[in-house]
Amino acid sequence: MMLLSPLCPDLGAWPPMGYVESRLDRSALRRADAATLRADRDARVYAFGGELVALRPAPQTGGMDDPLLTFAEAAPWCGEDAIFLGLEGAAPRFAVAFDPGRREAIEAAGFKVTDLRAIAAGGLVAADHLGPLATGKALFGWHGRHRFCSNCGTPTRIVDGGWRRDCAGCGAQHFPRTDPVAIMLVARGNQCLLGRQPHFAPGMWSCLAGFVEPGETVEDAVRRETMEEAGITVGRVTYQSCQPWPFPMQLMLGCLAEATSEAITMDVNELEAVRWFSLEETATLLARTHPEGLFAPAPAAIAHHLIRAFVAGARA
């Protein structure tokens, strides 16, 4: 373990990562009973409108917003389809969907509507709601893209509590998929490589990342993406942690990687900027005390945790 430089700010306790905590038992064997479970008096729903989530606002006396609604509360503005997410104890939990265009009507009924990124970054709900929220959001995203059979083009129907779509034309069964993404903190000595994409918030710098291609290991994806985006060669790669990322349905596979070269050749089609940051400068990104106003992603994102692992002395 490397000793921190006295120039590094104190980052305090390690913050929690978003979308990884959940109290739900997915109860896959109960998915066929979803129609019966939704009639349970303790059944509750998470309501999604694309990127949006409906919340019961926290009371004025304080506390957090509540993303769990009753079926009756959500019924005026949500569709009939309900995805069975699992059981919290004995209580069934579902995801339902509303038209984002109904936002004003939902808010007029006394609910708060905001996007899932803001919910996670702002800590608006208890952390153990984020896992179910990520699941529901990703599943509705998948259903929206798979209304027709990829084998014959016939419309498909939702079955098995929302965890499968069946085709009446050719009999094909379609299951939700997750896209694996390698995200890496590339380090060389006491410096790390960070980049910016054009859509990033002004001043934010983050880890490089890219989809794992068919027939490719995560380690090789780290090496390939780093070479493609920054022209940097990578040797040893170590898996660090992972995070569901429901934008739209990814699994971020976090790695620490050892660079074996230093000269950067940036892919201008992928990145707006990329450069090396010293250990001390990287720490100021996390603490949001950088003299130029630069900063790292919020603690909800796995990139924050990979960057913090570098500052804390972890090495690939």
Side-chain angles (χ1 to χ4, degrees):
M1 180 71 71
M2 177 187 65
L3 294 177
L4 290 181
S5 162
L7 299 178
C8 289
D10 180 7
L11 298 175
W14 204 293
M17 189 188 301
Y19 313 118
V20 296
E21 292 190 39
S22 174
R23 289 184 293 184
L24 290 190
D25 175 348
R26 293 191 171 223
S27 305
L29 297 179
R30 302 293 305 277
R31 289 171 181 168
D33 302 327
T36 300
L37 289 170
R38 66 183 292 171
D40 189 294
R41 61 181 295 177
D42 294 322
R44 296 292 184 272
V45 302
Y46 295 94
F48 300 87
E51 298 283 329
L52 301 176
V53 179
L55 308 171
R56 180 180 292 105
Q60 293 182 350
T61 53
M64 292 185 167
D65 297 329
D66 185 2
L68 281 176
L69 312 179
T70 66
F71 270 103
E73 286 175 321
W77 25 274
C78 285
E80 288 295 319
D81 291 332
I83 296 172
F84 175 61
L85 300 178
L87 298 174
E88 183 179 346
R93 299 291 182 253
F94 290 83
V96 294
F98 61 84
D99 182 345
R102 301 290 304 278
R103 178 174 186 169
E104 290 187 3
I106 297 169
E107 292 175 333
F111 296 95
K112 178 188 293 186
V113 180
T114 188
D115 66 274
L116 186 52
R117 292 178 192 264
I119 290 172
L124 302 185
V125 303
D128 53 18
H129 284 303
L130 294 179
L133 284 170
T135 302
K137 195 272 180 187
L139 281 170
F140 272 120
W142 178 80
H143 281 291
R145 292 169 172 80
H146 292 79
R147 294 182 298 112
F148 297 90
C149 178
S150 58
N151 187 50
C152 71
T154 300
T156 57
R157 65 185 182 92
I158 296 177
V159 296
D160 205 21
W163 289 87
R164 200 177 82 219
R165 296 189 74 98
D166 285 357
C167 175
C170 67
Q173 296 180 334
H174 303 278
F175 298 88
R177 294 289 186 266
T178 295
D179 298 320
V181 175
I183 181 167
M184 46 279 188
L185 191 288
V186 179
R188 182 172 173 80
N190 281 359
Q191 56 183 359
C192 70
L193 187 70
L194 300 176
R196 278 188 49 78
Q197 293 185 348
H199 68 272
F200 282 5
M204 190 178 85
W205 290 73
S206 187
C207 300
L208 304 186
F211 289 98
V212 180
E213 295 185 343
E216 185 176 48
T217 66
V218 176
E219 293 85 352
D220 282 344
V222 167
R223 297 184 182 102
R224 174 183 54 78
E225 286 288 344
T226 306
M227 171 56 70
E228 290 176 359
E229 295 189 355
I232 299 295
T233 57
V234 165
R236 192 153 63 109
V237 176
T238 302
Y239 170 79
Q240 176 76 359
S241 59
C242 66
Q243 177 188 36
W245 191 247
F247 306 104
M249 55 193 80
Q250 301 166 6
L251 179 63
M252 309 299 290
L253 302 166
C255 297
L256 303 176
E258 181 182 301
T260 57
S261 68
E262 192 167 342
I264 294 173
T265 303
M266 185 181 74
D267 181 355
V268 297
N269 295 314
E270 290 286 337
L271 297 175
E272 179 180 87
V274 60
R275 71 175 180 88
W276 294 101
F277 285 80
S278 70
L279 171 67
E280 294 81 9
E281 191 178 14
T282 305
T284 67
L285 298 180
L286 292 167
R288 302 204 170 200
T289 58
H290 192 283
E292 298 175 28
L294 309 183
F295 60 94
I302 190 173
H304 179 102
H305 295 261
L306 293 173
I307 295 169
R308 184 160 179 150
F310 164 73
V311 171
R315 285 294 182 270

